[in-house]
Amino acid sequence: MYRLIKKFLIVLIVMLVLAGCGEKKDTLEILFFSQITEDIEDDVINELEQIYPESTKQFQSKFYASVYERLIGEIAAHNGDILIVEADMLTPGTFDSEGLVPFKLTEDRKNQISQDYKLIYKKTNEEQVYAMPINKKSALFENLDIELDTELVALVPIYSEHQDLAVQIGMEFSGFR
């Protein structure tokens, strides 16, 4: 009887583990920390699906008020593949070359970005762009008809599982395709 219960528990545990693994979706998550509200969530997802129809990723977005503590909490929990934040939320706690993925830009494009969004990559001692300013006239925002009162920037955290696509989308938000 003891062996039967033991086998049953082992099978049950294996089934639970396999069920949990099978439900993981390949989702790219965009977190907004700004005055933009969730009433445009479907529009953001539809625009991204139109811009990236070949992508096998599902897009998901979440909207939060621009509260610094919430941003820190989401970063600590490793949530979000792209963070869209108000520029004044960039502090040493959120804007660090070791915690962000740099945007690969030509020198000409890099020179068009404010020094406020560049950091020195410590391993190579080179200056890189780590925050892309959001252009209010970018295709995505223009199609969504969003009025922005404050400057927004796109950040890609180092823990993102979809770094390449996240960088592309960050560039799309900025208008630097």
Side-chain angles (χ1 to χ4, degrees), residues 19-162:
C21 292
E23 290 182 21
K24 186 176 180 187
K25 295 182 179 170
D26 202 12
T27 303
L28 186 135
E29 186 176 48
I30 305 168
L31 303 183
F32 289 84
F33 295 87
S34 69
Q35 64 198 24
I36 301 172
T37 59
E38 63 188 19
D39 58 327
I40 66 154
E41 180 175 14
D42 291 337
D43 296 333
V44 169
I45 301 305
N46 290 336
E47 279 296 316
L48 287 171
E49 288 172 349
Q50 286 179 16
I51 294 170
Y52 298 99
E54 73 284 350
S55 177
T56 59
K57 311 279 185 269
Q58 290 183 324
F59 298 106
Q60 179 181 20
S61 58
K62 293 184 182 175
F63 298 83
Y64 302 105
S66 55
V67 177
Y68 182 76
E69 291 78 11
R70 179 64 188 238
L71 173 61
I72 294 295
E74 295 296 326
I75 291 171
H78 289 194
N79 292 333
D81 294 292
I82 303 171
L83 307 173
I84 306 297
V85 303
E86 291 184 358
D88 61 359
M89 293 178 78
L90 296 181
T91 66
T94 59
F95 191 57
D96 175 21
S97 65
E98 292 182 17
L100 298 171
V101 176
F103 290 90
K104 303 284 190 260
L105 300 170
T106 64
E107 284 302 315
D108 184 45
R109 293 275 189 168
K110 204 183 288 187
N111 292 334
Q112 296 174 17
I113 305 291
S114 168
Q115 282 299 121
D116 296 337
Y117 306 134
K118 298 175 185 175
L119 295 168
I120 301 296
Y121 182 57
K122 294 176 183 163
K123 290 183 181 178
T124 62
N125 210 27
E126 292 179 28
E127 188 175 65
Q128 299 287 335
V129 175
Y130 286 91
M132 287 298 292
I134 302 296
N135 184 341
K136 297 172 188 177
K137 301 278 188 216
S138 72
L140 182 68
F141 279 96
E142 196 169 76
N143 292 340
L144 296 177
D145 196 32
I146 297 173
E147 294 290 328
L148 300 175
D149 293 336
T150 59
E151 184 169 0
L152 300 178
V153 294
L155 307 169
V156 177
I158 198 80
Y159 56 77
S160 171
E161 294 179 9
H162 314 290

